[in-house]
């Protein structure tokens, strides 16, 4: 399967933080014939192993969850009060379509309406001012449609190809990382490894790096690489506010809000890019943060790097990437995992 088709398939599945079950089941089915063992831990992380038990251990991480919203209350008029899950800004909500996840695996659609100019200027966007309209005429009807407090959902504006080299979807953060790990596991099937690889698909990154924190402790890796989507160039913003640029290949983190990446890891990723004959870029510090911040602090510490696909408009109804950047990231990733991973000296003494 082409990488972009794999990404598209993963993007269709809603997985707001804390409700990753559907996506976890899909990824598990994709890895069933590839992984030597598959484990789901108590935090909901999915771990697929190649050559389990061998030492040293490389942890490859991508988070499954996406930003979303939760039903806070049901009004007497049948509309729903909502609150954000993760970094979802109120200014993006008016006029959006929402899919709420029901217990039976179905989705309940709704819209966040905006007051028309005919009735006066709307209030400043704020979560307290929003009501999710699911088409119910009263509270009882809303409950009949299976609306309830705690129901979670995601924004939805569709997905597809734009132009010759762009793909858009709401949840590229971080379906790109998940797609890269599933793809790599397939690429390495049958490869004789002298070390073990744990592909960790983590939960709750958008609400505090929760899954990666517990997973890293359990896996106890010697080295880790996080695969992510990162903020790409936003048209109209000055260069100083652009962490990375679309069309310039994968972005390598130097420093973010969670960690300062060891230079040996940065250089190893750049060397892998050169060997794979793909362009790469250094992500401009210090914006953002991801699972790497939690993994690096696990136990006595884990040397951890982050490799990201630049994406415009993340944490919104639609994000956008260049397909060529995604493919370049895949080539760099495979080259690094097979030939450029710099194992730390575990017996170093002063």
């Amino acid at each position: 399967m082409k990488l972009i088709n794999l990404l598209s398939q993963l993007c269709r599945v809603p997985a707001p933080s804390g409700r990753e079950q559907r996506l976890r089941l899909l990824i598990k089915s994709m890895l069933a014939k590839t992984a030597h063992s598959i484990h789901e831990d108590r935090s909901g992380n999915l771990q697929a192993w190649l050559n389990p038990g061998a030492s040293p251990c490389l942890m490859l991480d991508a988070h499954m969850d996406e930003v979303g919203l939760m039903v806070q209350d049901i009004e007497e008029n049948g509309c729903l009060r909502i609150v954000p899950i993760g970094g979802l800004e109120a200014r993006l909500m008016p006029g959006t379509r929402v899919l709420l996840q029901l217990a039976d695996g179905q989705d309940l659609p709704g819209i966040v309406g905006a007051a028309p100019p005919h009735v006066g200027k709307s209030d400043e966007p704020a979560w307290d001012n929003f009501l999710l309209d699911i088409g119910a005429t009263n509270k009882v009807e809303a409950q009949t449609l299976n609306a309830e407090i705690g129901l979670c959902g995601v924004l939805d504006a569709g997905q597809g190809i734009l132009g010759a080299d762009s793909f858009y979807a709401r949840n590229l953060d971080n379906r790109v990382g998940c797609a890269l790990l599933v793809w790599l596991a397939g690429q390495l099937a049958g490869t004789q490894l002298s070390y073990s690889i744990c592909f960790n698909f983590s939960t709750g990154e958008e609400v505090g790096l929760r899954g990666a924190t517990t997973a890293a402790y359990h896996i106890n890796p010697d080295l880790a690489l996080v695969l992510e989507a990162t903020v790409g160039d936003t048209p109209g913003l000055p260069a100083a506010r652009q962490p990375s640029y679309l069309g310039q290949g994968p972005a390598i983190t130097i420093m973010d809000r969670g960690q300062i990446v060891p230079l040996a890891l940065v250089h190893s990723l750049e060397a892998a890019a050169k060997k794979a004959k793909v362009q790469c870029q250094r992500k401009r510090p210090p914006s953002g943060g991801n699972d790497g911040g939690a993994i690096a602090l696990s136990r006595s510490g884990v040397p951890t790097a982050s490799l990201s696909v630049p994406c415009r408009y993340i944490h919104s109804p639609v994000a956008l990437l260049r397909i060529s950047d995604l493919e370049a990231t895949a080539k760099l990733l495979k080259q690094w995992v097979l030939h450029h991973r710099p194992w730390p000296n575990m017996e170093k003494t002063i």
Side-chain angles (χ1 to χ4, degrees):
M1 181 186 296
K2 288 185 177 180
L3 184 53
I4 187 60
N5 294 336
L6 172 59
L7 174 60
S8 179
Q9 187 175 350
L10 293 173
C11 284
R12 293 190 188 100
V13 182
S17 303
R19 300 290 186 270
E20 299 94 348
Q21 176 69 3
R22 290 192 208 174
L23 183 61
R24 183 167 54 243
L25 289 173
L26 175 59
I27 293 174
K28 186 176 181 179
S29 69
M30 290 177 167
L31 295 172
K33 295 182 179 179
T34 302
H36 297 154
S37 67
I38 299 179
H39 170 72
E40 180 182 330
D41 68 21
R42 287 179 287 185
S43 295
N45 303 299
L46 182 69
Q47 289 138 19
W49 290 82
L50 293 180
N51 202 23
S55 182
C57 172
L58 170 63
M59 177 181 179
L60 300 176
D61 174 88
H63 69 88
M64 295 183 287
D65 63 313
E66 59 187 291
V67 295
L69 49 84
M70 180 180 287
V71 175
Q72 181 188 50
D73 199 9
I74 305 175
E75 299 284 295
E76 291 300 328
N77 63 8
C79 291
L80 312 179
R81 292 282 179 185
I82 50 177
V83 294
I85 299 175
L88 189 60
E89 291 191 6
R91 62 184 175 84
L92 301 170
M93 295 306 296
T96 60
R97 181 172 183 260
V98 171
L99 295 176
L100 296 175
Q101 291 181 290
L102 300 178
D104 61 2
Q106 300 300 308
D107 295 321
L108 176 62
I111 57 171
V112 180
H118 309 69
V119 294
K121 185 178 180 181
S122 300
D123 294 330
E124 185 72 20
W127 287 97
D128 288 344
N129 298 331
F130 297 143
L131 287 173
L132 179 63
D133 196 328
I134 58 173
T137 58
N138 54 57
K139 185 173 184 178
V140 172
E141 186 177 344
Q143 292 170 329
T144 302
L145 292 172
N146 294 316
E148 60 183 2
I149 295 172
L151 204 60
C152 296
V154 295
L155 308 185
D156 183 61
Q159 62 185 66
I161 301 294
L162 285 181
D165 188 38
S166 296
F167 176 78
Y168 71 92
R170 72 171 183 275
N171 48 9
L172 296 181
D173 179 12
N174 183 29
R175 296 298 191 277
V176 293
C178 294
L180 287 164
L181 291 195
V182 172
W183 173 86
L184 180 64
Q187 290 287 303
L188 298 182
T191 302
Q192 295 295 318
L193 300 172
S194 59
Y195 54 97
S196 63
I197 302 179
C198 181
F199 298 83
N200 183 67
F201 300 86
S202 62
T203 58
E205 191 267 359
E206 299 290 1
V207 289
L209 318 182
R210 299 179 184 182
T213 300
T214 58
Y217 189 92
H218 165 72
I219 296 166
N220 192 20
D222 299 298
L223 181 67
L225 178 66
V226 173
L227 280 300
E228 255 285 17
T230 195
V231 178
D233 55 286
T234 302
L237 289 183
R241 295 178 61 190
Q242 311 283 20
S244 67
Y245 286 86
L246 275 66
Q248 296 187 17
I252 300 169
T253 295
I254 309 297
M255 178 180 76
D256 60 23
R257 292 196 303 266
Q259 65 166 335
I260 299 175
V261 178
L263 271 178
L265 288 178
V266 174
H267 292 158
S268 71
L269 288 166
E270 292 174 335
K274 184 176 181 179
K275 189 70 174 180
K277 298 180 180 179
V278 298
Q279 188 178 12
C280 69
Q281 57 186 306
R282 290 188 175 187
K283 179 182 173 183
R284 288 157 184 78
S287 63
N290 58 35
D291 281 345
I295 296 169
L297 295 178
S298 182
R299 294 184 181 246
S300 59
V302 181
T304 304
S306 294
L307 184 66
S308 303
V309 178
C311 297
R312 288 176 178 163
Y313 324 125
I314 62 172
H315 289 210
S316 80
V318 286
L320 181 141
L321 57 71
R322 300 282 186 245
I323 298 172
S324 55
D325 287 337
L326 177 68
E327 293 173 343
T329 306
K331 292 178 181 177
L332 191 164
L333 172 63
K334 183 178 179 180
Q335 180 70 31
W336 185 85
V337 166
L338 288 177
H339 304 294
H340 291 270
R341 63 211 175 276
W343 297 115
N345 181 357
M346 306 307 294
E347 299 179 353
K348 185 176 181 179
T349 57
I350 297 176

